Amino acid sequence: MQILIPHAFSHIKLPNGISATIFDGDVDELPPNLDEIEIYVPSYMGGDGIYNAIDKMPRLKWLQLLTAGIDRALPFMREGVTLCNAKGVHDDATAELTIALILTRLRGIDATIRAKNQGWSTRKTRPSIFGAKVTIIGAGSIGRRIATLITAFGGLPTLVSKGGHNDTIAFNVCEEVVRNSDIVVVVVPLTSETKGLIDANFLAMMPNNSLLINVARGEVVVTADLYKEVSSGRISAGIDVTDPEPLDPSHPLWECENVVITPHVGGATKSFYIKATELLEDNLARISRGETPKNVIEGSY
């Protein structure tokens, strides 16, 4: 069985019966033996072209992503190919960035950086995570990790899921919670249902001086609606993802001093390679034994 894998993971231990073809992650440099590939691991955060290659792999059986989100891969899926995502790999890193974005806004770190040598002019009493009511839209493994860290800081998290179950509330009945939130964190997958989920109506429910954090996908938030709210100064935001992405340097969101924007780096830490290696080696071992690998995507996502 042949696997096509990015050079960054050429070090992984392969089980008996699986051999690797290594590529540098660039779709313009794909190897000539694509017709032999049965397992494909697209490069992390590569362009859409990394999925176009699937059409050239007639024997493909397994598509193992290095991302938690599957939205970019779905249009290229076909009958007979099993899709696995990287659930669990990015939980800690994305939760860390969420806390960083929250603290940057709440504690005025962004204002202090802008003030440079006049930093003392920004010294004042500011909000804290401690005691803050934090609504987390998305109750998957990343959302739950964020909730754990919020709790560690003394915050009060509420998890919101699609239908509401166990310790979560349903999105369609979360209005009261949102209206009483100090912070709203968005961490849902991008689907036809969640595209544009955070629109003018949702943002209008958020209280004055509240904070929106988006570590999901840019398309989940309607950019024009977000800009209208933050430019008025009514709410602020910390966003790791944008729509479009990357955000044009001339976009007015860059000029909003109450908005912190990072360049989609939620999972981009050194720990990614350690955790992704563990997942790849585990799943390849399972496949070689004829077992079902972890994180198989079934039904609606």
Side-chain angles (χ1 to χ4, degrees):
M1 186 176 291
Q2 195 77 14
I3 179 174
L4 179 61
I5 195 165
H7 184 269
F9 292 94
S10 59
H11 62 278
I12 67 171
K13 298 175 183 178
L14 297 175
N16 292 334
I18 297 181
S19 57
T21 296
I22 310 299
F23 75 112
D24 64 4
D26 187 342
V27 293
D28 294 328
E29 300 293 335
L30 288 172
N33 65 328
L34 295 183
D35 59 339
E36 301 175 3
I37 302 301
E38 295 182 62
I39 308 170
Y40 177 35
V41 182
S43 55
Y44 179 60
M45 298 299 287
D48 287 339
I50 61 174
Y51 299 110
N52 289 330
I54 292 172
D55 289 338
K56 302 176 183 178
M57 302 177 190
R59 299 180 62 184
L60 186 66
K61 296 178 181 177
W62 305 94
L63 180 63
Q64 172 65 66
L65 303 184
L66 296 173
T67 58
I70 64 170
D71 48 283
R72 292 174 59 207
L74 282 179
F76 300 89
M77 294 302 295
R78 64 172 184 263
E79 189 79 21
V81 178
T82 298
L83 175 63
C84 302
N85 72 350
K87 178 182 178 181
V89 169
H90 302 286
D91 295 3
D92 290 322
T94 305
E96 285 176 1
L97 183 66
T98 299
I99 296 297
L101 290 169
I102 291 173
L103 290 176
T104 297
R105 282 299 307 136
L106 290 190
R107 302 304 299 270
I109 297 171
D110 50 342
T112 301
I113 292 172
R114 284 194 302 272
K116 295 183 180 178
N117 62 334
Q118 301 298 317
W120 283 95
S121 65
T122 67
R123 189 170 185 263
K124 63 180 182 180
T125 301
R126 295 180 180 274
S128 169
I129 295 177
F130 181 83
K133 297 176 182 177
V134 183
T135 298
I136 302 170
I137 310 294
S141 60
I142 297 176
R144 290 182 178 278
R145 184 59 179 149
I146 292 170
T148 297
L149 294 189
I150 291 293
T151 301
F153 276 86
L156 307 171
T158 298
L159 285 162
V160 176
S161 63
K162 179 180 177 180
H165 53 82
N166 299 329
D167 57 346
T168 74
I169 64 172
F171 181 80
N172 61 358
V173 294
C174 73
E175 179 175 346
E176 182 178 353
V177 173
V178 172
R179 290 190 182 280
N180 288 283
S181 297
D182 299 297
I183 304 165
V184 174
V185 178
V186 183
V187 63
V188 294
L190 177 62
T191 68
S192 58
E193 292 179 284
T194 62
K195 185 174 183 179
L197 184 72
I198 310 302
D199 58 8
N201 291 331
F202 183 95
L203 295 170
M205 292 191 295
M206 293 179 59
N208 292 343
N209 302 313
S210 58
L211 170 63
L212 178 76
I213 301 292
N214 185 12
V215 289
R217 287 289 188 268
E219 297 95 320
V220 174
V221 176
V222 180
T223 302
D225 295 346
L226 175 62
Y227 174 69
K228 183 177 180 180
E229 288 285 1
V230 296
S231 62
S232 73
R234 198 183 71 78
I235 67 172
S236 62
I239 54 178
D240 183 48
V241 288
T242 60
D243 181 28
E245 189 173 294
L247 197 62
D248 191 280
S250 64
H251 197 284
L253 263 180
W254 290 110
E255 302 302 318
C256 296
E257 293 189 353
N258 58 345
V259 177
V260 176
I261 304 174
T262 51
H264 202 154
V265 292
T269 68
K270 292 181 179 180
S271 66
F272 158 70
Y273 294 98
I274 298 171
K275 294 184 177 184
T277 294
E278 292 173 352
L279 175 64
L280 289 175
E281 291 182 346
D282 187 4
N283 269 359
L284 290 177
R286 289 168 182 260
I287 291 172
S288 71
R289 295 192 299 263
E291 301 173 3
T292 301
K294 292 180 179 178
N295 300 344
V296 171
I297 303 299
E298 297 178 315
S300 60
Y301 182 61

